[in-house]
Amino acid sequence: MAKIVVDVMLKPEILDPQGQAVGAALPRLGFTFAQSVRQGKRFEIEVEGDPTPAQLAEISKAAETLLANPVIETFVVRVEK
Amino acid sequence: MAKIVVDVMLKPEILDPQGQAVGAALPRLGFTFAQSVRQGKRFEIEVEGDPTPAQLAEISKAAETLLANPVIETFVVRVEK
Amino acid sequence: MKVGVVTFPGSLDDQDAARAVRFAGATPVSLWHRDSDLHGVDAVILPGGFSYGDYLRCGAISRFAPVMTSIIEQAKSGLPVLGICNGFQILCESHLLPGALTRNQGLHFLCGPQKIRIENTTSAWTSNFVQNREIVIPLKNGEGSFQCDDSTLAQLESEGRVIARYMGENPNGSRNLIAGITNARGNVVGIMPHPEHAIDSLTGPSTDGLAFFTSVLNSLVGK
Amino acid sequence: MALDTVAIASTTPDQVQPFAELGLKGDEYQRIREILGRRPSSSELAMYSVMWSEHCSYKSSKVHLRQFGEKAPKSDALLVGIGENAGVVDVGQGYAVTFKIESHNHPSFIEPYQGAATGIGGIVRDILTMGARPIAVMDPLRFGPADAPDTRRVLPGVIAGIGGYGNCLGLPNIGGEIIFDQTYAGNPLVNALCVGVMRHEQIKLAKASGPGNLVVLFGAKTGGDGIGGVSVLASETFGASGPAKRPSVQVGDPFTEKVLIECSLEIFAEDLVVGIQDLGGAGLSCATSELASGGSGGMEVELEKVPLRDPSLSPEEILMSESQERMCAIVEPSKIARFLEICEKWDVTVTVIGKVTDGDRLIITWHGEVIVDVPPRTVAHEGPVYNRPMAKPGYLDQLNAKVLDIPMPKNNPEIKAAILKLMSSANMADKSWVTAQYDKYVQGNTIQSQPQDSGMVRIDENTHLGVAISTDANASWSYLNPYEGAKLALAEAARNIATAGAKPLAVTNCLNFGSPEDPAVMWQFAETVRGLADGCLEMGLPVTGGNVSFYNQTGDVAILPTPIIGVLGVIQDVRTHMPMSFDVADLELYLLGETRADLAGSQWAYLHNERGGQAPLAHLKNEMSLIDLLLESQSLCNARHDVSQGGLTATLTEMVLENNIGATVTLEGDLATALLSETPGRVVVAVHKEKAQPLIALASKHKIAITRIGDTGGKSLTINDVALELNELRAAFTGTFPKLFG
Ligand SMILES: Nc1ncnc2c1ncn2[C@@H]1O[C@H](COP(=O)(O)OP(=O)(O)O)[C@@H](O)[C@H]1O
Ligand SMILES: [Mg+2]
């Protein structure tokens, strides 16, 4: 079993109220180091055996059509051990 | 500027309706590679300069109190270049 | 006149939309998400709700339902389609309308009467309004913030495709206070607040919403 | 350790079993051995331990709750009474309505969002189980002090959870309560009410009858949710390697529940089930034993057929799992094909897991081995019953005897300051920060919702028939006098139904208390039940069901006794409903009922940390006359609003702010008392001038005091010589929640 991770983030120009809210809450809790916070999604997909390049391409396709909305989001696909 | 990433996932024993919904949708679209899908959150936190160990410890603390709910979630903090 | 109302698993306002169609004097026909046949309807409403739980992104999964394949195809050749709330989200995910609806700026689900101004009265679903009429209909959603890139926004504005705009304070962070838009042809309209909940003052804040449904009847008759 | 079967249990009588860890007392364990004539298998032990828990068996409350049956008023309206998942009442025109309140207190403290969400999910399934379409929800809530850091964790999560789950089900939220008190810190109360409607002939019951009929499990797959406690058994079963981690928190999936509702309703419409039960607390243990017990007793279940989310679950765990969004139905073999077809249509997982037999034992097997063989009644309905010791708390006499020493406002500036202070206090302030997170429009039948006196929904679009519901509790009064407190809550809920124009018909309740093992708490509980039963008898309203939540306490400190009383009423024509606020000027304002100096337990006393004094007495005859008056004067009134917590100050403030039309009011006697006293049995009414005389005549016919107190109009609330601009009043009233919770 291998784990493929797809990270989906809002494009930088799209408003991210969730990230903003976290960014605003951190200093109230005494954490003052953050310059900015963005919140996105992380998908962990389990596949049988070591993923082939063809499989990874398919997953990229799935990310583009379903997991992310290219109008507002970007994504990265990677294999995690 | 460095980017610290906090990945937050539901604990494996906790029901993940979102991941389930995605897992059920993929095969309907012809993507049959996934054995299971879990959906979590990804936070990207920008900090000035290279993060110090003290800063990372502080972020772990923040993750525990704010970004994740330890009752149902686990998290990982890491630096991304 | 037959107006189809689609039910996805998780649709909630389908009965309300059907009632609004009846109030307007047409016959509602219920369409099932798995059925690609549109049963000869003259127009289609995608109602509010949480189709497929609205997991992942609102409307992201519904867009691939068999019924949507037919609707997308026929919308491109002029079938009037109105997406309300979740329906608007589905239309954006289907790329029948530009932009996307994202999490409300205040991060809460918000429900209450909302004042909007009708700014386009040429679409299939707004032709019975007087230009710039201000109306009050319910707004209720968690992800109603309309977002798009600058060029899309400029195009929507210059082509007069903003159907309705929020009045007063921005309730959810939508760009340019956009509450609803139409495609270039004017047959596909997405609106975030709920006209179907404002057809009877006993149960809604006004009867202002009815004109959306009578509009489409007029535009069909005029054909 | 391997699978523990009934056969093994019979030959190993001396094996030590962890009954105490599972919450069973020594004598309870002995009783199980007597019933079975041997030691229980570990699966049987699991079942008995959950089913005999306080939560499922009502072992401490049963002896008291009996009064609801014994003192029940004669009522033709009651179609299904206490004992089923929820009571059912006849509302006419062939319609039956079912409603019930449940608590989800402790889970909501641990994980506020999921705890509250699954609370909504659970009560909705109870209503669905009766064969009804759920049509609305309500949420009476209690929290620790509004400005306490933990409240800032708990409250927003609870609200988001209730909204998140209820909104996604498409159920309008039509009312509730939010009250803060120190005793709820660490013990928030999350009570949830659901109401549903069906035709008389559609009523379903939890009974497994007809040998050969199939036991069908449908809905979500079973995971390890909510079985933290049973892990002692699991760890024995699994030996040293240990089972996978078991979550103590249940996570809800409202989408699955929405689909389950539609699927079930379609199944009901085609009359495909003989009996049905939802899976809530105690999961399959409860559903199978209650279904079998409700029928003739015989049932066989093949437990390995249960579809699992987590394949590592042991049979004991499967029996106890509290995974949400599941139902169990009894289906005739000839109807199973259609049943499966409907489940397929809705993409609902469905499995036949067993059948009804002509025996009288519930037999559960695991891959062919018998692991449970019990008389189901002993599990479901014949658990232990305790007559726990009770004693009037020692502090109470002294508390009641206390002469109140609360600073009262003495001059006009102080009166004005008092009004603003009271109306901006968290208990009295505007709650729309909360209620705006709830969908109130969905289904298109909501006639009244927050902040009206009661919630009201239409149940027939053609005949305009509707029902109204209000939930109320005044824990401060219950603390001072639990017997009167229960009656007063009942009276208030009934009054709130009648102000809206509906006729009170039936009662549900959720009794939230501390530990029943504390004699003082047990006394509060017993007095509450006695008061409610007496009150219901006097008012002619049957109790149709309810829920008891014990152990709401931190250390030795129990919560205030909090009996949440829900009253359901019927309105023949919802178009005649009466709003709480006037929308025009130049109406005359009248106060119905008398004002006495009732400051004990009032919000003004609470604001000054004064807990003592004597609660008002309930005058239910008088309350009933008031209700008659309200119902008869329906066509005369323009608006009316109940006077309760916060006294006339709150009533008038809420009336003027709702539609932004002011009022000028003149009050006789001591102004501070007139404004802050919380004497029950009062209503403020707005009428057109020409309707005033008939109203006065009706009031005198019903022997209800009526006092002209002022007129509507203007942009201020002016009381004697104290004038408050509506804007100023509004800022005080609406600013509090956003300031506290963002
Ligand atoms: N306070 C109460 N007043 C009246 N009936 C009650 C009360 N508490 C529990 N009951 C009744 O006892 C029965 C069992 O309750 P409960 O175990 O909570 O049912 P369920 O498991 O279906 O939620 C139900 O019929 C319920 O209405
Ligand atoms: Mg039940």
Side-chain angles (χ1 to χ4, degrees):
Chain A
M1 282 286 216
K3 189 157 80 184
I4 297 177
V5 172
V6 181
D7 290 322
V8 177
M9 299 299 293
L10 284 169
K11 289 182 179 168
E13 68 271 24
I14 299 287
L15 184 71
D16 173 17
Q18 305 198 75
Q20 271 178 4
V22 172
L26 283 174
R28 284 202 297 271
L29 297 178
F31 306 107
T32 50
F33 46 78
Q35 301 286 312
S36 87
V37 183
R38 308 276 296 169
Q39 180 174 338
K41 294 177 193 145
R42 173 186 166 91
F43 298 90
E44 294 185 358
I45 303 171
E46 279 192 343
V47 298
E48 201 69 65
D50 265 353
T52 60
Q55 250 183 343
L56 283 177
E58 240 202 314
I59 296 195
S60 287
K61 188 88 195 303
E64 205 179 306
T65 40
L66 183 72
L67 303 180
N69 177 353
V71 174
I72 48 168
E73 293 167 328
T74 57
F75 66 90
V76 177
V77 176
R78 61 206 158 79
V79 183
E80 218 170 69
K81 300 283 136 138
Chain B
M1 283 282 215
K3 190 156 76 181
I4 300 177
V5 172
V6 182
D7 290 323
V8 177
M9 297 298 294
L10 284 168
K11 291 180 180 170
E13 68 271 20
I14 297 279
L15 176 70
D16 172 18
Q18 306 211 62
Q20 261 182 14
V22 174
L26 284 172
R28 284 202 300 270
L29 301 185
F31 300 111
T32 52
F33 49 78
Q35 301 286 311
S36 88
V37 182
R38 309 273 299 168
Q39 181 175 337
K41 293 178 196 146
R42 173 186 166 93
F43 297 91
E44 294 185 356
I45 303 170
E46 280 192 342
V47 297
E48 200 68 65
D50 265 353
T52 62
Q55 257 181 340
L56 284 179
E58 249 199 303
I59 295 203
S60 287
K61 189 90 192 305
E64 207 177 299
T65 45
L66 181 72
L67 305 182
N69 174 357
V71 177
I72 51 173
E73 293 169 326
T74 57
F75 64 90
V76 177
V77 177
R78 60 204 160 78
V79 184
E80 216 168 70
K81 299 283 131 132
Chain C
M1 207 72 69
K2 295 198 294 181
V3 180
V5 177
V6 179
T7 300
F8 299 96
S11 289
L12 304 177
D13 299 312
D14 43 349
Q15 296 308 316
D16 301 80
R19 187 189 291 118
V21 168
R22 268 198 314 275
F23 268 52
T27 308
V29 173
S30 93
L31 301 177
W32 183 240
H33 69 116
R34 274 194 201 164
D35 188 357
S36 51
D37 184 354
L38 299 187
H39 301 279
V41 296
D42 304 293
V44 167
I45 298 174
L46 303 177
F50 292 77
S51 55
Y52 294 95
D54 272 356
Y55 296 132
L56 186 58
R57 288 180 315 279
C58 301
I61 298 179
S62 321
R63 159 206 174 183
F64 295 104
V67 76
M68 282 310 298
T69 311
S70 310
I71 290 173
I72 292 170
E73 197 184 289
Q74 297 198 26
K76 287 180 178 156
S77 50
L79 179 77
V81 179
L82 174 66
I84 305 169
C85 194
N86 194 219
F88 187 8
Q89 294 161 341
I90 296 170
L91 290 175
C92 289
E93 284 282 342
S94 309
H95 309 303
L96 284 174
L97 292 175
L101 292 141
T102 62
R103 191 80 185 264
N104 287 350
Q105 191 157 29
L107 299 179
H108 293 135
F109 186 96
L110 268 189
C111 173
Q114 174 69 44
K115 193 185 255 190
I116 58 174
R117 186 171 56 223
I118 303 295
E119 296 193 358
N120 171 320
T121 55
T122 60
S123 86
W125 299 90
T126 50
S127 57
N128 271 6
F129 282 103
V130 174
Q131 180 75 23
N132 289 335
R133 167 122 188 260
E134 293 175 9
I135 66 172
V136 176
I137 63 179
L139 180 68
K140 49 161 195 152
N141 59 67
E143 308 196 10
S145 175
F146 181 79
Q147 300 296 323
C148 62
D149 58 30
D150 292 344
S151 65
T152 307
L153 189 66
Q155 189 183 10
L156 285 172
E157 293 290 3
S158 68
E159 294 176 3
R161 286 166 52 193
V162 175
I163 282 283
R165 229 182 279 273
Y166 299 116
M167 308 283 299
E169 215 178 304
N170 194 329
N172 50 24
S174 290
R175 293 201 76 177
N176 286 13
L177 290 157
I178 287 175
I181 56 174
T182 176
N183 63 351
R185 188 168 176 164
N187 63 314
V188 178
V189 167
I191 176 105
M192 212 53 215
H194 291 257
E196 84 285 16
H197 287 312
I199 56 163
D200 180 351
S201 51
L202 191 61
T203 52
S206 71
T207 55
D208 296 344
L210 196 59
F212 279 87
F213 307 93
T214 55
S215 291
V216 76
L217 298 194
N218 272 3
S219 65
L220 288 169
V221 168
K223 273 210 176 131
Chain D
M1 206 186 101
L3 182 70
D4 189 26
T5 64
V6 167
I8 294 173
S10 312
T11 55
T12 55
D14 300 327
Q15 178 168 327
V16 180
Q17 294 189 286
F19 63 84
E21 286 93 322
L22 292 170
L24 287 167
K25 296 271 169 359
D27 53 343
E28 293 174 343
Y29 177 65
Q30 276 314 316
R31 225 191 105 205
I32 296 169
R33 296 187 67 124
E34 275 160 37
I35 290 169
L36 298 176
R38 56 174 163 80
R39 76 160 173 90
S41 71
S42 62
S43 294
E44 290 168 338
L45 186 63
M47 285 183 84
Y48 278 104
S49 70
V50 275
M51 290 303 290
W52 285 13
S53 69
E54 184 64 58
H55 176 71
C56 293
S57 73
Y58 291 83
K59 55 188 167 190
S60 306
S61 53
K62 230 175 197 164
V63 292
H64 301 283
L65 297 180
R66 265 179 209 142
Q67 292 171 67
F68 294 143
E70 290 158 6
K71 296 182 188 169
K74 269 219 173 8
S75 164
D76 299 333
L78 198 60
L79 299 175
V80 175
I82 293 177
E84 281 291 337
N85 285 299
V88 182
V89 289
D90 176 13
V91 295
Q93 299 178 11
Y95 287 106
V97 165
T98 175
F99 72 128
K100 189 178 171 198
I101 314 181
E102 278 257 354
S103 61
H104 227 214
N105 302 339
H106 190 60
S108 302
F109 175 65
I110 303 291
E111 214 303 296
Y113 185 97
Q114 294 298 342
T118 51
I120 294 286
I123 188 61
V124 168
R125 281 195 304 282
D126 263 331
I127 294 308
L128 175 66
T129 300
M130 298 309 298
R133 172 174 280 283
I135 55 170
V137 294
M138 297 174 89
D139 59 330
L141 309 175
R142 300 291 186 276
F143 298 99
D147 52 3
D150 199 48
T151 303
R152 225 164 282 172
R153 170 185 74 94
V154 176
L155 185 142
V158 164
I159 303 305
I162 291 170
Y165 205 101
N167 295 343
C168 191
L169 290 187
L171 291 176
N173 186 310
I174 58 169
E177 304 160 62
I178 299 163
I179 304 277
F180 302 91
D181 185 272
Q182 180 59 45
T183 64
Y184 303 117
N187 303 284
L189 302 185
V190 176
N191 289 187
L193 178 150
C194 182
V195 54
V197 63
M198 70 204 115
R199 306 295 298 174
H200 282 195
E201 61 277 12
Q202 288 169 331
I203 297 173
K204 298 284 178 293
L205 300 177
K207 65 172 195 311
S209 53
N213 285 344
L214 304 170
V215 180
V216 183
L217 184 65
F218 63 119
K221 290 185 179 169
T222 299
D225 310 63
I227 52 176
V230 71
S231 56
V232 285
L233 280 173
S235 56
E236 291 198 338
T237 314
F238 279 84
S241 66
K245 268 239 161 61
R246 300 296 180 232
S248 54
V249 176
Q250 308 152 21
V251 171
D253 177 358
F255 170 64
T256 295
E257 178 129 322
K258 167 66 180 168
V259 170
L260 190 60
I261 292 172
E262 298 304 331
C263 176
S264 300
L265 289 171
E266 206 166 315
I267 285 166
F268 297 159
E270 298 191 23
D271 201 16
L272 300 179
V273 306
V274 174
I276 186 156
Q277 171 70 303
D278 62 299
L279 276 73
L284 265 176
S285 292
C286 178
T288 54
S289 64
E290 286 193 351
L291 279 165
S293 176
S296 47
M299 183 185 287
E300 281 174 16
V301 171
E302 295 170 85
L303 199 59
E304 74 278 3
K305 294 212 167 141
V306 172
L308 300 181
R309 189 175 93 228
D310 172 355
S312 77
L313 292 180
S314 70
E316 294 88 342
E317 292 177 313
I318 296 169
L319 280 170
M320 290 172 89
S321 161
E322 300 194 342
S323 285
Q324 302 291 297
E325 295 101 20
R326 297 179 297 163
M327 303 279 276
C328 191
I330 305 298
V331 183
E332 288 172 20
S334 65
K335 295 188 171 167
I336 190 70
R338 181 62 189 141
F339 190 106
L340 299 179
E341 216 171 85
I342 294 177
C343 289
E344 204 280 324
K345 171 182 168 190
W346 288 99
D347 264 326
V348 168
T349 306
V350 53
T351 320
V352 176
I353 60 165
K355 60 174 189 290
V356 180
T357 65
D358 55 10
D360 56 4
R361 314 269 304 180
L362 169 60
I363 295 171
I364 300 178
T365 57
W366 179 252
H367 296 288
E369 306 244 33
V370 177
I371 56 169
V372 171
D373 181 352
V374 296
R377 280 203 74 78
T378 64
V379 180
H381 291 120
E382 289 162 5
V385 175
Y386 291 129
N387 215 329
R388 294 205 187 266
M390 45 194 201
K392 183 171 176 180
Y395 54 77
L396 202 54
D397 285 336
Q398 212 185 340
L399 202 63
N400 287 154
K402 200 165 170 201
V403 178
L404 292 193
D405 181 22
I406 321 169
M408 297 295 277
K410 284 186 264 329
N411 50 39
N412 289 345
E414 283 183 17
I415 293 271
K416 179 169 172 175
I419 293 173
L420 293 173
K421 177 178 168 136
L422 184 66
M423 295 318 297
S424 62
S425 70
N427 281 347
M428 298 313 306
D430 173 50
K431 304 294 191 300
S432 45
W433 182 88
V434 169
T435 56
Q437 298 184 44
Y438 301 153
D439 187 347
K440 59 181 176 183
Y441 296 108
V442 65
Q443 294 196 7
N445 287 313
T446 306
I447 308 296
Q448 286 193 179
S449 58
Q450 315 87 351
Q452 303 289 333
D453 285 353
S454 55
M456 186 185 291
V457 280
R458 177 171 66 186
I459 61 179
D460 190 312
E461 274 185 60
N462 298 312
T463 66
H464 312 290
L465 183 67
V467 292
I469 305 184
S470 174
T471 67
D472 288 286
N474 186 326
S476 300
W477 285 345
S478 280
Y479 181 67
L480 295 173
N481 186 336
Y483 179 82
E484 293 295 331
K487 286 186 166 183
L488 289 164
L490 170 70
E492 182 177 341
R495 196 186 315 129
N496 281 324
I497 295 299
T499 53
K503 184 176 162 46
L505 188 68
V507 173
T508 184
N509 65 83
C510 190
L511 307 175
N512 303 276
F513 286 78
S515 167
E517 293 162 45
D518 175 348
V521 170
M522 208 52 221
W523 179 84
Q524 292 175 331
F525 179 80
E527 283 294 286
T528 298
V529 173
R530 190 170 68 88
L532 182 57
D534 285 352
C536 285
L537 179 59
E538 198 170 342
M539 296 188 79
L541 300 171
V543 176
T544 62
N547 182 247
V548 177
S549 172
F550 278 133
Y551 297 103
N552 297 290
Q553 65 178 58
T554 306
D556 285 345
V557 184
I559 57 162
L560 298 179
T562 313
I564 305 272
I565 313 298
V567 172
L568 177 127
V570 179
I571 179 165
Q572 295 304 326
D573 186 342
V574 291
R575 293 169 301 178
T576 66
H577 81 100
M578 193 55 51
M580 61 172 268
S581 168
F582 37 81
D583 53 5
V584 285
D586 293 325
L587 300 173
E588 296 186 352
L589 287 171
Y590 288 83
L591 175 65
L592 303 178
E594 274 170 77
T595 305
R596 291 178 292 272
D598 286 309
L599 287 153
S602 68
Q603 284 302 314
W604 188 247
Y606 173 79
L607 284 182
H608 296 89
N609 294 312
E610 174 58 84
R611 271 266 119 92
Q614 185 65 63
L617 301 182
H619 298 287
L620 297 185
K621 285 267 153 353
N622 191 56
E623 295 278 359
M624 289 161 73
S625 304
L626 176 62
I627 288 170
D628 288 340
L629 167 60
L630 291 168
L631 295 178
E632 276 179 48
S633 62
Q634 184 81 344
S635 60
L636 302 175
C637 303
N638 184 280
R640 45 197 195 196
H641 192 23
D642 167 53
V643 183
S644 58
Q645 276 152 316
L648 257 186
T649 303
T651 305
L652 292 171
T653 300
E654 289 160 5
M655 285 181 105
V656 294
L657 292 184
E658 177 68 5
N659 291 320
N660 207 30
I661 292 184
T664 304
V665 169
T666 308
L667 297 174
E668 304 286 318
D670 175 49
L671 186 55
T673 306
L675 281 173
L676 299 170
S677 162
E678 297 185 5
T679 308
R682 295 180 298 161
V683 170
V684 171
V685 182
V687 291
H688 277 290
K689 284 183 178 49
E690 64 275 21
K691 304 276 176 70
Q693 277 319 310
L695 178 70
I696 292 168
L698 265 185
S700 91
K701 174 184 138 195
H702 289 284
K703 302 200 170 55
I704 295 293
I706 181 165
T707 317
R708 170 90 195 266
I709 56 167
D711 302 273
T712 70
K715 285 286 165 241
S716 70
L717 172 61
T718 304
I719 302 169
N720 295 2
D721 297 322
V722 182
L724 292 106
E725 295 301 318
L726 293 190
N727 287 339
E728 187 183 7
L729 194 53
R730 183 181 308 284
F733 186 55
T734 59
T736 305
F737 267 66
K739 221 177 290 154
L740 282 166
F741 303 107

